[in-house]
Amino acid sequence: MLLIQDLSQDPAMGEVISEEKTLSVMDLVFNGGTGSVVIITVLFLMLGVALYIYFERLLAVNAASKIDKNFMNQIRDHVTSGKLEAAKILCAQTDSPVARLTEKGISRIGKPLDDINTAIENAGTLEVYKLEKNVSVLATVAGAAPMIGFLGTVIGMILAFHEMASSGGQAEMGSLASGIYTAMTTTVAGLIVGIIAYMGYNHLVNRTDKVVHKMEANAVEFLDLLNEPL
């Protein structure tokens, strides 16, 4: 809420009376005219899309990062004892990228090590693609939202100067309010949406990188297991 102080003169007492008026966020939005309402509506829709993608991907990444610490130990025991079907069943029962990569490697046991490594890498590429699904939309929103806000700024200033030109340079401040509101509110809204989307994008990228590193570490551990002498 913004506080605007209104000073008025009491004719009877000859004293200045201070009155405070409140200006809500909704007032800022709707006082900017049609241009401000349209642009801010678009920005809020973009914010909704960005928040949905962020939380949906965050849940997916968190689920992908969870894996039993004894998983690889169990895989090691099954593989060294020749129980490949048991190892595949364990991977199928474990819903994680690491388990799916391991299952792909187990299904290639008996083939050259390079073939196993290639199969794991290809499966890993697909898993990374799944983790990064729609994350690029956040980057797009982070870049586009401030630009849309600045577009509103330009439109607002054009409206203000047009009003001044139409009145021969004698326009009152009240008649310029719509353009000024459009210029200021759209800029602020665009920056807010852009900052939120940018922070969400970077957070998801960092969390995804951690999952990818975990996948790589387990893939190396599995390949080392195949290189161990029986």
Side-chain angles (χ1 to χ4, degrees):
M1 304 291 284
L2 299 178
L3 296 179
I4 299 178
Q5 192 174 49
D6 181 24
L7 300 179
S8 58
Q9 184 79 23
D10 188 338
M13 303 298 296
E15 297 178 353
V16 176
I17 301 175
S18 176
E19 297 180 359
E20 288 185 344
K21 296 181 180 180
T22 58
L23 185 62
S24 67
V25 174
M26 298 303 296
D27 291 333
L28 286 174
V29 173
F30 289 106
N31 285 343
T34 304
S36 175
V37 173
V38 171
I39 291 177
I40 292 181
T41 299
V42 172
L43 290 172
F44 274 116
L45 291 175
M46 293 174 66
L47 177 61
V49 171
L51 290 176
Y52 171 79
I53 292 175
Y54 170 74
F55 286 110
E56 189 271 333
R57 286 293 86 199
L58 183 62
L59 292 175
V61 172
N62 286 339
S65 64
K66 294 178 180 179
I67 188 170
D68 188 358
K69 295 181 179 179
N70 294 322
F71 174 76
M72 289 306 298
N73 292 332
Q74 293 175 299
I75 292 295
R76 180 185 299 274
D77 293 338
H78 290 319
V79 172
T80 53
S81 61
K83 300 177 180 179
L84 299 184
E85 288 301 321
K88 290 181 181 179
I89 293 174
L90 176 61
C91 292
Q93 292 175 344
T94 306
D95 185 16
S96 72
V98 171
R100 286 188 284 272
L101 294 186
T102 304
E103 183 179 11
K104 182 65 67 174
I106 293 173
S107 65
R108 296 294 191 275
I109 289 179
K111 296 183 178 181
L113 195 59
D114 289 341
D115 292 346
I116 298 176
N117 188 29
T118 300
I120 293 176
E121 288 180 353
N122 292 337
T125 301
L126 293 177
E127 292 297 332
V128 173
Y129 175 77
K130 292 178 183 178
L131 290 175
E132 294 179 345
K133 180 182 177 182
N134 294 328
V135 173
S136 60
V137 176
L138 284 179
T140 302
V141 172
M147 295 177 66
I148 294 175
F150 291 144
L151 174 63
T153 300
V154 174
I155 293 175
M157 297 310 298
I158 290 174
L159 293 175
F161 282 115
H162 175 72
E163 185 66 30
M164 292 180 64
S166 300
S167 61
Q170 302 297 322
E172 298 180 356
M173 288 300 299
S175 62
L176 302 177
S178 178
I180 295 174
Y181 270 123
T182 301
M184 297 299 101
T185 56
T186 55
T187 300
V188 173
L191 290 174
I192 290 174
V193 175
I195 290 171
I196 293 174
Y198 181 75
M199 293 176 64
Y201 171 78
N202 280 293
H203 183 242
L204 287 179
V205 168
N206 290 333
R207 295 298 300 273
T208 302
D209 286 343
K210 292 180 179 179
V211 176
V212 172
H213 292 156
K214 183 179 294 186
M215 291 165 54
E216 292 174 347
N218 281 272
V220 170
E221 184 177 353
F222 177 75
L223 292 174
D224 289 342
L225 169 63
L226 298 182
N227 282 323
E228 290 179 358
L230 296 177

